[in-house]
Amino acid sequence: MSLDVTQLISDIKDAASTVIEHDITEIRGFSERQLSALALQAKLIAKAIAENEIGEDLRDYFLDSIEDMALNFARTLRGLLAVTIEKIWNAIVGVIWTALEACTGISLKIAS
């Protein structure tokens, strides 16, 4: 039995697309919530500074705090994207291994 390259390409694309669509939806929801929280926090800090509720002695503390929030958001997003890439890789290798097993009759294991 020979390997149908055109079908394999289509199956790989489908597997990767399925992972991407699912994960991007979850990442989009997470990022929208986080960005809304960051924007609201910035608004509250700006208002408090403008109304002298936060003096110069605490201003840096609150500004550093929002900077930390933004950095943590970016790091979390980077981690989520790394996980998504790993899932895509696993899906692609799974499709290839399944195709090879079907053609050869030999059971293959995914390398880790």
Side-chain angles (χ1 to χ4, degrees):
M1 175 182 209
S2 71
L3 188 66
D4 183 345
V5 174
T6 303
Q7 184 61 49
L8 182 57
I9 291 169
S10 177
D11 292 345
I12 289 170
K13 286 180 182 179
D14 289 345
S17 292
T18 299
V19 171
I20 291 169
E21 287 174 21
H22 177 266
D23 282 22
I24 293 302
T25 299
E26 288 185 6
I27 290 170
R28 184 176 295 128
F30 165 77
S31 66
E32 287 174 4
R33 287 187 306 275
Q34 292 296 306
L35 292 175
S36 292
L38 277 166
L40 179 57
Q41 186 75 8
K43 177 182 176 180
L44 294 172
I45 291 170
K47 181 180 179 199
I49 290 171
E51 295 176 1
N52 290 319
E53 294 173 7
I54 296 176
E56 286 187 39
D57 55 332
L58 288 177
R59 186 181 310 163
D60 286 343
Y61 170 78
F62 284 101
L63 295 175
D64 288 346
S65 174
I66 199 162
E67 187 177 288
D68 288 343
M69 287 175 63
L71 181 59
N72 287 334
F73 166 70
R75 286 180 175 161
T76 301
L77 197 57
R78 179 181 61 193
L80 291 171
L81 292 173
V83 169
T84 298
I85 291 168
E86 181 83 13
K87 288 179 182 179
I88 293 168
W89 176 79
N90 285 329
I92 291 170
V93 171
V95 167
I96 293 170
W97 264 222
T98 299
L100 290 172
E101 287 174 348
C103 288
T104 65
I106 297 172
S107 178
L108 303 171
K109 294 184 181 198
I110 296 176
S112 48

